[in-house]
Amino acid sequence: MSPLLALADVGKDYAKVESRGGRLRLVWDLLRGNPAAHVFRAVDSVSLEMKRGESLGVIGENGAGKSTLLKMVAGVIRPTRGEVTVNGRVGALLELGSGFHPEYTGLANIDLAAALLGLAPADIAAKRDEIVAFADIGEHIHDPIKHYSSGMVVRLGFAVATTLAPDILITDEVLAVGDESFQKKCIAWMESYLDGGGTLLFCSHSMYHVQKLCRHALWLKDGRVERYGPAADVTQAYLAYHEEKTARKTPALPRASATASGSAGHYAMRSLELSPGGTIAQDSELVVRGEVYSPDGRAPVALVGIVRADGTPVYGVGTDMDGVRPTEIAPNRYAFTLTLPRLALLPGKYYVRGFAADPEGMRVFDTCEMPLVITGESREMGFVRLPHRWHDDTVPPK
């Protein structure tokens, strides 16, 4: 099956002009057929293919190039480099109010937008009532859209773009503007559209909706592809990136090191290890092993904690809480092992932290951390998966 959409090394540049003289030089260069001397590379080297029936979520920070990429696919702008191939009708809902005339009524804009999409007058007339019903903006359909709220404009735009049954539907942050009932209507329509073999290119800052609606995801960062693959993997990596970005505002904890242990004459972490490693599947067993230095020969208290990548605490436990004493393996050296069977953490990036405290467990002297990545597919929210079951309320309990 040939791809419905193909991008081959696509890029888009915009000229950078910082002064009036720069504008004149830019015009002169363009008249002579020369490229702009200074450009901003909004999108660079993006390649992908989509076959009929596939769904792709486009994610990234503000300014990453998402809207520019969608505009090139929709044919609104031309790429500076590369090639965009679209083999089908495109329905696009991009910038708020794009394709609408502010002085025209909602009804007139339906006719205008449908005509621009290539529909004959008879086809427009046949679809008009269906579009009006889906938009559900009441008598405002007879008012100029310059008087519409942003949510009403999106309602009308989505109704036009979807009722015309495009081969590829492109949406840019549609769900961020509409109210709760409209969001539910949009999601239900897109799920039905995908079940019927439609192809969706979906841009959103909501990772929940990307995971719900899309099989694959494309993460753009500074105009380039940072990651591309299954939606669950890409969105989890994107969320972990933001958590780490938040965590950079606080000083990083050191890794355990035997060379510095006890140099200041206090309790210290000598080592911290994770088994089977720093990446495990959800619900797998995790073993944490560590060694603590004691300056006075008394058994210290060892503590183990798990935090999310942004530093949010998830769980913590100490040897003194469970009445356990670390094992003396050499003078002033104590080892501990903690097993966490069926680790219930949701997929994402975390840090396992080890702490060395005095024998009374009153004062923490040293700490270190090791990264931990939990893999798996889940749209559950929070940090952990709690045991649960759903019941059919129509069946009496036994």
Side-chain angles (χ1 to χ4, degrees), residues 46-80:
V46 175
S47 299
L48 61 90
E49 287 187 354
M50 290 184 69
K51 294 182 172 61
R52 190 176 301 276
E54 293 185 340
S55 50
L56 176 67
V58 181
I59 62 176
E61 298 170 278
N62 292 329
K66 305 184 299 298
S67 296
T68 301
L69 179 67
L70 298 186
K71 288 177 183 178
M72 287 191 287
V73 174
V76 176
I77 58 176
R78 298 180 61 183
T80 306

PDB file of all heavy atoms in Angstrom, residues 46-80:
ATOM      1  N   VAL A  46      12.897  16.595   8.468  1.00  0.00           N
ATOM      2  CA  VAL A  46      11.823  15.743   8.977  1.00  0.00           C
ATOM      3  C   VAL A  46      11.382  14.792   7.867  1.00  0.00           C
ATOM      4  O   VAL A  46      11.021  15.222   6.775  1.00  0.00           O
ATOM      5  CB  VAL A  46      10.616  16.578   9.456  1.00  0.00           C
ATOM      6  CG1 VAL A  46       9.461  15.663   9.872  1.00  0.00           C
ATOM      7  CG2 VAL A  46      11.025  17.470  10.619  1.00  0.00           C
ATOM      8  N   SER A  47      11.408  13.497   8.175  1.00  0.00           N
ATOM      9  CA  SER A  47      10.983  12.470   7.226  1.00  0.00           C
ATOM     10  C   SER A  47      10.039  11.505   7.936  1.00  0.00           C
ATOM     11  O   SER A  47      10.328  11.064   9.057  1.00  0.00           O
ATOM     12  CB  SER A  47      12.177  11.696   6.668  1.00  0.00           C
ATOM     13  OG  SER A  47      13.065  12.554   5.965  1.00  0.00           O
ATOM     14  N   LEU A  48       8.930  11.186   7.283  1.00  0.00           N
ATOM     15  CA  LEU A  48       7.990  10.205   7.836  1.00  0.00           C
ATOM     16  C   LEU A  48       7.024   9.778   6.747  1.00  0.00           C
ATOM     17  O   LEU A  48       6.908  10.411   5.701  1.00  0.00           O
ATOM     18  CB  LEU A  48       7.236  10.775   9.035  1.00  0.00           C
ATOM     19  CG  LEU A  48       6.349  12.010   8.818  1.00  0.00           C
ATOM     20  CD1 LEU A  48       4.912  11.602   8.442  1.00  0.00           C
ATOM     21  CD2 LEU A  48       6.295  12.858  10.078  1.00  0.00           C
ATOM     22  N   GLU A  49       6.332   8.659   7.023  1.00  0.00           N
ATOM     23  CA  GLU A  49       5.289   8.165   6.131  1.00  0.00           C
ATOM     24  C   GLU A  49       4.075   7.765   6.946  1.00  0.00           C
ATOM     25  O   GLU A  49       4.206   7.268   8.061  1.00  0.00           O
ATOM     26  CB  GLU A  49       5.777   6.956   5.317  1.00  0.00           C
ATOM     27  CG  GLU A  49       6.761   7.291   4.230  1.00  0.00           C
ATOM     28  CD  GLU A  49       7.061   6.084   3.349  1.00  0.00           C
ATOM     29  OE1 GLU A  49       6.563   4.973   3.685  1.00  0.00           O
ATOM     30  OE2 GLU A  49       7.767   6.237   2.337  1.00  0.00           O
ATOM     31  N   MET A  50       2.896   8.006   6.396  1.00  0.00           N
ATOM     32  CA  MET A  50       1.647   7.569   7.027  1.00  0.00           C
ATOM     33  C   MET A  50       0.800   6.867   5.983  1.00  0.00           C
ATOM     34  O   MET A  50       0.565   7.404   4.895  1.00  0.00           O
ATOM     35  CB  MET A  50       0.873   8.755   7.603  1.00  0.00           C
ATOM     36  CG  MET A  50       1.502   9.403   8.817  1.00  0.00           C
ATOM     37  SD  MET A  50       0.446  10.716   9.497  1.00  0.00           S
ATOM     38  CE  MET A  50      -0.932   9.739  10.135  1.00  0.00           C
ATOM     39  N   LYS A  51       0.343   5.665   6.322  1.00  0.00           N
ATOM     40  CA  LYS A  51      -0.562   4.927   5.457  1.00  0.00           C
ATOM     41  C   LYS A  51      -1.997   5.152   5.913  1.00  0.00           C
ATOM     42  O   LYS A  51      -2.257   5.633   7.010  1.00  0.00           O
ATOM     43  CB  LYS A  51      -0.215   3.436   5.473  1.00  0.00           C
ATOM     44  CG  LYS A  51       1.144   3.111   4.856  1.00  0.00           C
ATOM     45  CD  LYS A  51       1.403   1.623   4.851  1.00  0.00           C
ATOM     46  CE  LYS A  51       2.656   1.282   4.055  1.00  0.00           C
ATOM     47  NZ  LYS A  51       3.864   1.890   4.584  1.00  0.00           N
ATOM     48  N   ARG A  52      -2.917   4.805   5.052  1.00  0.00           N
ATOM     49  CA  ARG A  52      -4.333   4.987   5.352  1.00  0.00           C
ATOM     50  C   ARG A  52      -4.699   4.230   6.630  1.00  0.00           C
ATOM     51  O   ARG A  52      -4.321   3.082   6.831  1.00  0.00           O
ATOM     52  CB  ARG A  52      -5.188   4.491   4.186  1.00  0.00           C
ATOM     53  CG  ARG A  52      -6.661   4.860   4.284  1.00  0.00           C
ATOM     54  CD  ARG A  52      -7.411   4.419   3.045  1.00  0.00           C
ATOM     55  NE  ARG A  52      -6.862   5.036   1.844  1.00  0.00           N
ATOM     56  CZ  ARG A  52      -7.188   6.253   1.407  1.00  0.00           C
ATOM     57  NH1 ARG A  52      -8.071   6.976   2.088  1.00  0.00           N
ATOM     58  NH2 ARG A  52      -6.659   6.730   0.300  1.00  0.00           N
ATOM     59  N   GLY A  53      -5.421   4.910   7.518  1.00  0.00           N
ATOM     60  CA  GLY A  53      -5.849   4.293   8.759  1.00  0.00           C
ATOM     61  C   GLY A  53      -4.920   4.507   9.931  1.00  0.00           C
ATOM     62  O   GLY A  53      -5.236   4.104  11.050  1.00  0.00           O
ATOM     63  N   GLU A  54      -3.772   5.165   9.714  1.00  0.00           N
ATOM     64  CA  GLU A  54      -2.826   5.392  10.798  1.00  0.00           C
ATOM     65  C   GLU A  54      -3.118   6.717  11.498  1.00  0.00           C
ATOM     66  O   GLU A  54      -3.801   7.591  10.963  1.00  0.00           O
ATOM     67  CB  GLU A  54      -1.387   5.381  10.273  1.00  0.00           C
ATOM     68  CG  GLU A  54      -0.938   4.020   9.773  1.00  0.00           C
ATOM     69  CD  GLU A  54       0.518   3.997   9.381  1.00  0.00           C
ATOM     70  OE1 GLU A  54       1.088   5.078   9.137  1.00  0.00           O
ATOM     71  OE2 GLU A  54       1.095   2.897   9.315  1.00  0.00           O
ATOM     72  N   SER A  55      -2.574   6.844  12.698  1.00  0.00           N
ATOM     73  CA  SER A  55      -2.742   8.083  13.466  1.00  0.00           C
ATOM     74  C   SER A  55      -1.403   8.465  14.069  1.00  0.00           C
ATOM     75  O   SER A  55      -0.700   7.629  14.633  1.00  0.00           O
ATOM     76  CB  SER A  55      -3.785   7.891  14.572  1.00  0.00           C
ATOM     77  OG  SER A  55      -3.505   6.729  15.333  1.00  0.00           O
ATOM     78  N   LEU A  56      -1.053   9.739  13.952  1.00  0.00           N
ATOM     79  CA  LEU A  56       0.236  10.239  14.423  1.00  0.00           C
ATOM     80  C   LEU A  56       0.025  11.476  15.278  1.00  0.00           C
ATOM     81  O   LEU A  56      -0.605  12.446  14.842  1.00  0.00           O
ATOM     82  CB  LEU A  56       1.146  10.576  13.241  1.00  0.00           C
ATOM     83  CG  LEU A  56       2.502  11.202  13.583  1.00  0.00           C
ATOM     84  CD1 LEU A  56       3.386  10.188  14.307  1.00  0.00           C
ATOM     85  CD2 LEU A  56       3.200  11.719  12.327  1.00  0.00           C
ATOM     86  N   GLY A  57       0.544  11.460  16.489  1.00  0.00           N
ATOM     87  CA  GLY A  57       0.518  12.622  17.349  1.00  0.00           C
ATOM     88  C   GLY A  57       1.813  13.405  17.220  1.00  0.00           C
ATOM     89  O   GLY A  57       2.895  12.825  17.240  1.00  0.00           O
ATOM     90  N   VAL A  58       1.700  14.712  17.062  1.00  0.00           N
ATOM     91  CA  VAL A  58       2.871  15.592  16.959  1.00  0.00           C
ATOM     92  C   VAL A  58       2.967  16.377  18.258  1.00  0.00           C
ATOM     93  O   VAL A  58       2.038  17.111  18.625  1.00  0.00           O
ATOM     94  CB  VAL A  58       2.758  16.547  15.752  1.00  0.00           C
ATOM     95  CG1 VAL A  58       3.999  17.420  15.650  1.00  0.00           C
ATOM     96  CG2 VAL A  58       2.559  15.755  14.461  1.00  0.00           C
ATOM     97  N   ILE A  59       4.083  16.212  18.970  1.00  0.00           N
ATOM     98  CA  ILE A  59       4.242  16.850  20.273  1.00  0.00           C
ATOM     99  C   ILE A  59       5.541  17.634  20.302  1.00  0.00           C
ATOM    100  O   ILE A  59       6.426  17.450  19.463  1.00  0.00           O
ATOM    101  CB  ILE A  59       4.222  15.809  21.418  1.00  0.00           C
ATOM    102  CG1 ILE A  59       5.393  14.835  21.277  1.00  0.00           C
ATOM    103  CG2 ILE A  59       2.900  15.057  21.431  1.00  0.00           C
ATOM    104  CD1 ILE A  59       5.491  13.833  22.422  1.00  0.00           C
ATOM    105  N   GLY A  60       5.666  18.509  21.273  1.00  0.00           N
ATOM    106  CA  GLY A  60       6.865  19.320  21.420  1.00  0.00           C
ATOM    107  C   GLY A  60       6.536  20.610  22.151  1.00  0.00           C
ATOM    108  O   GLY A  60       5.363  20.980  22.313  1.00  0.00           O
ATOM    109  N   GLU A  61       7.571  21.297  22.576  1.00  0.00           N
ATOM    110  CA  GLU A  61       7.387  22.559  23.284  1.00  0.00           C
ATOM    111  C   GLU A  61       6.911  23.650  22.332  1.00  0.00           C
ATOM    112  O   GLU A  61       6.967  23.495  21.097  1.00  0.00           O
ATOM    113  CB  GLU A  61       8.706  22.972  23.939  1.00  0.00           C
ATOM    114  CG  GLU A  61       9.211  21.988  24.981  1.00  0.00           C
ATOM    115  CD  GLU A  61      10.619  22.303  25.434  1.00  0.00           C
ATOM    116  OE1 GLU A  61      11.564  21.916  24.725  1.00  0.00           O
ATOM    117  OE2 GLU A  61      10.768  22.924  26.499  1.00  0.00           O
ATOM    118  N   ASN A  62       6.451  24.766  22.887  1.00  0.00           N
ATOM    119  CA  ASN A  62       6.081  25.909  22.056  1.00  0.00           C
ATOM    120  C   ASN A  62       7.301  26.370  21.264  1.00  0.00           C
ATOM    121  O   ASN A  62       8.389  26.531  21.819  1.00  0.00           O
ATOM    122  CB  ASN A  62       5.561  27.053  22.925  1.00  0.00           C
ATOM    123  CG  ASN A  62       4.237  26.733  23.583  1.00  0.00           C
ATOM    124  OD1 ASN A  62       3.428  25.991  23.028  1.00  0.00           O
ATOM    125  ND2 ASN A  62       4.001  27.285  24.765  1.00  0.00           N
ATOM    126  N   GLY A  63       7.104  26.582  19.971  1.00  0.00           N
ATOM    127  CA  GLY A  63       8.201  27.014  19.120  1.00  0.00           C
ATOM    128  C   GLY A  63       9.032  25.882  18.565  1.00  0.00           C
ATOM    129  O   GLY A  63      10.061  26.130  17.914  1.00  0.00           O
ATOM    130  N   ALA A  64       8.599  24.642  18.770  1.00  0.00           N
ATOM    131  CA  ALA A  64       9.376  23.498  18.288  1.00  0.00           C
ATOM    132  C   ALA A  64       9.217  23.263  16.797  1.00  0.00           C
ATOM    133  O   ALA A  64      10.002  22.520  16.201  1.00  0.00           O
ATOM    134  CB  ALA A  64       8.986  22.238  19.057  1.00  0.00           C
ATOM    135  N   GLY A  65       8.187  23.859  16.166  1.00  0.00           N
ATOM    136  CA  GLY A  65       7.969  23.681  14.732  1.00  0.00           C
ATOM    137  C   GLY A  65       6.754  22.844  14.384  1.00  0.00           C
ATOM    138  O   GLY A  65       6.554  22.498  13.224  1.00  0.00           O
ATOM    139  N   LYS A  66       5.911  22.541  15.368  1.00  0.00           N
ATOM    140  CA  LYS A  66       4.757  21.669  15.126  1.00  0.00           C
ATOM    141  C   LYS A  66       3.773  22.300  14.139  1.00  0.00           C
ATOM    142  O   LYS A  66       3.382  21.657  13.156  1.00  0.00           O
ATOM    143  CB  LYS A  66       4.040  21.372  16.452  1.00  0.00           C
ATOM    144  CG  LYS A  66       4.928  20.783  17.534  1.00  0.00           C
ATOM    145  CD  LYS A  66       4.141  20.417  18.780  1.00  0.00           C
ATOM    146  CE  LYS A  66       3.464  21.615  19.426  1.00  0.00           C
ATOM    147  NZ  LYS A  66       4.442  22.647  19.880  1.00  0.00           N
ATOM    148  N   SER A  67       3.361  23.528  14.397  1.00  0.00           N
ATOM    149  CA  SER A  67       2.385  24.180  13.525  1.00  0.00           C
ATOM    150  C   SER A  67       2.946  24.398  12.126  1.00  0.00           C
ATOM    151  O   SER A  67       2.225  24.261  11.131  1.00  0.00           O
ATOM    152  CB  SER A  67       1.941  25.520  14.131  1.00  0.00           C
ATOM    153  OG  SER A  67       1.264  25.328  15.362  1.00  0.00           O
ATOM    154  N   THR A  68       4.221  24.726  12.045  1.00  0.00           N
ATOM    155  CA  THR A  68       4.855  24.900  10.734  1.00  0.00           C
ATOM    156  C   THR A  68       4.817  23.602   9.943  1.00  0.00           C
ATOM    157  O   THR A  68       4.533  23.588   8.734  1.00  0.00           O
ATOM    158  CB  THR A  68       6.313  25.369  10.906  1.00  0.00           C
ATOM    159  OG1 THR A  68       6.321  26.613  11.627  1.00  0.00           O
ATOM    160  CG2 THR A  68       6.980  25.561   9.558  1.00  0.00           C
ATOM    161  N   LEU A  69       5.087  22.486  10.618  1.00  0.00           N
ATOM    162  CA  LEU A  69       5.050  21.185   9.948  1.00  0.00           C
ATOM    163  C   LEU A  69       3.648  20.877   9.440  1.00  0.00           C
ATOM    164  O   LEU A  69       3.472  20.434   8.290  1.00  0.00           O
ATOM    165  CB  LEU A  69       5.517  20.099  10.924  1.00  0.00           C
ATOM    166  CG  LEU A  69       5.520  18.669  10.391  1.00  0.00           C
ATOM    167  CD1 LEU A  69       6.561  18.519   9.292  1.00  0.00           C
ATOM    168  CD2 LEU A  69       5.782  17.670  11.501  1.00  0.00           C
ATOM    169  N   LEU A  70       2.632  21.126  10.272  1.00  0.00           N
ATOM    170  CA  LEU A  70       1.260  20.845   9.854  1.00  0.00           C
ATOM    171  C   LEU A  70       0.841  21.731   8.685  1.00  0.00           C
ATOM    172  O   LEU A  70       0.111  21.288   7.792  1.00  0.00           O
ATOM    173  CB  LEU A  70       0.307  21.045  11.028  1.00  0.00           C
ATOM    174  CG  LEU A  70       0.510  20.137  12.251  1.00  0.00           C
ATOM    175  CD1 LEU A  70      -0.601  20.361  13.264  1.00  0.00           C
ATOM    176  CD2 LEU A  70       0.584  18.680  11.856  1.00  0.00           C
ATOM    177  N   LYS A  71       1.287  22.978   8.690  1.00  0.00           N
ATOM    178  CA  LYS A  71       0.947  23.888   7.585  1.00  0.00           C
ATOM    179  C   LYS A  71       1.554  23.412   6.269  1.00  0.00           C
ATOM    180  O   LYS A  71       0.931  23.546   5.209  1.00  0.00           O
ATOM    181  CB  LYS A  71       1.425  25.299   7.899  1.00  0.00           C
ATOM    182  CG  LYS A  71       0.616  26.001   8.980  1.00  0.00           C
ATOM    183  CD  LYS A  71       1.209  27.373   9.289  1.00  0.00           C
ATOM    184  CE  LYS A  71       0.449  28.058  10.413  1.00  0.00           C
ATOM    185  NZ  LYS A  71       1.045  29.376  10.764  1.00  0.00           N
ATOM    186  N   MET A  72       2.754  22.843   6.339  1.00  0.00           N
ATOM    187  CA  MET A  72       3.364  22.317   5.109  1.00  0.00           C
ATOM    188  C   MET A  72       2.594  21.106   4.604  1.00  0.00           C
ATOM    189  O   MET A  72       2.383  20.941   3.398  1.00  0.00           O
ATOM    190  CB  MET A  72       4.827  21.963   5.362  1.00  0.00           C
ATOM    191  CG  MET A  72       5.732  23.172   5.512  1.00  0.00           C
ATOM    192  SD  MET A  72       7.493  22.766   5.505  1.00  0.00           S
ATOM    193  CE  MET A  72       7.658  22.019   7.143  1.00  0.00           C
ATOM    194  N   VAL A  73       2.133  20.246   5.504  1.00  0.00           N
ATOM    195  CA  VAL A  73       1.347  19.086   5.093  1.00  0.00           C
ATOM    196  C   VAL A  73       0.018  19.529   4.492  1.00  0.00           C
ATOM    197  O   VAL A  73      -0.447  18.974   3.486  1.00  0.00           O
ATOM    198  CB  VAL A  73       1.114  18.139   6.285  1.00  0.00           C
ATOM    199  CG1 VAL A  73       0.165  17.008   5.891  1.00  0.00           C
ATOM    200  CG2 VAL A  73       2.430  17.573   6.792  1.00  0.00           C
ATOM    201  N   ALA A  74      -0.597  20.554   5.087  1.00  0.00           N
ATOM    202  CA  ALA A  74      -1.891  21.051   4.607  1.00  0.00           C
ATOM    203  C   ALA A  74      -1.770  21.864   3.322  1.00  0.00           C
ATOM    204  O   ALA A  74      -2.792  22.177   2.700  1.00  0.00           O
ATOM    205  CB  ALA A  74      -2.560  21.891   5.689  1.00  0.00           C
ATOM    206  N   GLY A  75      -0.556  22.221   2.941  1.00  0.00           N
ATOM    207  CA  GLY A  75      -0.360  23.011   1.723  1.00  0.00           C
ATOM    208  C   GLY A  75      -0.501  24.497   1.921  1.00  0.00           C
ATOM    209  O   GLY A  75      -0.541  25.253   0.938  1.00  0.00           O
ATOM    210  N   VAL A  76      -0.554  24.951   3.169  1.00  0.00           N
ATOM    211  CA  VAL A  76      -0.674  26.388   3.436  1.00  0.00           C
ATOM    212  C   VAL A  76       0.629  27.103   3.120  1.00  0.00           C
ATOM    213  O   VAL A  76       0.626  28.221   2.595  1.00  0.00           O
ATOM    214  CB  VAL A  76      -1.070  26.616   4.914  1.00  0.00           C
ATOM    215  CG1 VAL A  76      -1.106  28.103   5.246  1.00  0.00           C
ATOM    216  CG2 VAL A  76      -2.434  25.987   5.193  1.00  0.00           C
ATOM    217  N   ILE A  77       1.750  26.484   3.436  1.00  0.00           N
ATOM    218  CA  ILE A  77       3.055  27.028   3.095  1.00  0.00           C
ATOM    219  C   ILE A  77       3.877  25.952   2.391  1.00  0.00           C
ATOM    220  O   ILE A  77       3.600  24.755   2.531  1.00  0.00           O
ATOM    221  CB  ILE A  77       3.821  27.527   4.354  1.00  0.00           C
ATOM    222  CG1 ILE A  77       3.993  26.397   5.353  1.00  0.00           C
ATOM    223  CG2 ILE A  77       3.100  28.706   4.980  1.00  0.00           C
ATOM    224  CD1 ILE A  77       4.811  26.785   6.580  1.00  0.00           C
ATOM    225  N   ARG A  78       4.869  26.380   1.641  1.00  0.00           N
ATOM    226  CA  ARG A  78       5.723  25.442   0.904  1.00  0.00           C
ATOM    227  C   ARG A  78       7.019  25.226   1.673  1.00  0.00           C
ATOM    228  O   ARG A  78       7.561  26.165   2.272  1.00  0.00           O
ATOM    229  CB  ARG A  78       6.027  25.983  -0.489  1.00  0.00           C
ATOM    230  CG  ARG A  78       4.797  26.159  -1.355  1.00  0.00           C
ATOM    231  CD  ARG A  78       5.158  26.697  -2.719  1.00  0.00           C
ATOM    232  NE  ARG A  78       6.048  25.794  -3.444  1.00  0.00           N
ATOM    233  CZ  ARG A  78       6.571  26.064  -4.651  1.00  0.00           C
ATOM    234  NH1 ARG A  78       6.295  27.233  -5.228  1.00  0.00           N
ATOM    235  NH2 ARG A  78       7.348  25.198  -5.244  1.00  0.00           N
ATOM    236  N   PRO A  79       7.538  24.016   1.637  1.00  0.00           N
ATOM    237  CA  PRO A  79       8.810  23.763   2.327  1.00  0.00           C
ATOM    238  C   PRO A  79       9.972  24.431   1.612  1.00  0.00           C
ATOM    239  O   PRO A  79       9.953  24.588   0.387  1.00  0.00           O
ATOM    240  CB  PRO A  79       8.929  22.238   2.297  1.00  0.00           C
ATOM    241  CG  PRO A  79       8.120  21.811   1.117  1.00  0.00           C
ATOM    242  CD  PRO A  79       6.993  22.790   1.017  1.00  0.00           C
ATOM    243  N   THR A  80      10.969  24.828   2.391  1.00  0.00           N
ATOM    244  CA  THR A  80      12.193  25.369   1.806  1.00  0.00           C
ATOM    245  C   THR A  80      13.035  24.258   1.193  1.00  0.00           C
ATOM    246  O   THR A  80      13.683  24.437   0.158  1.00  0.00           O
ATOM    247  CB  THR A  80      13.020  26.100   2.886  1.00  0.00           C
ATOM    248  OG1 THR A  80      12.194  27.071   3.531  1.00  0.00           O
ATOM    249  CG2 THR A  80      14.229  26.794   2.274  1.00  0.00           C
TER     250      THR A  80
END
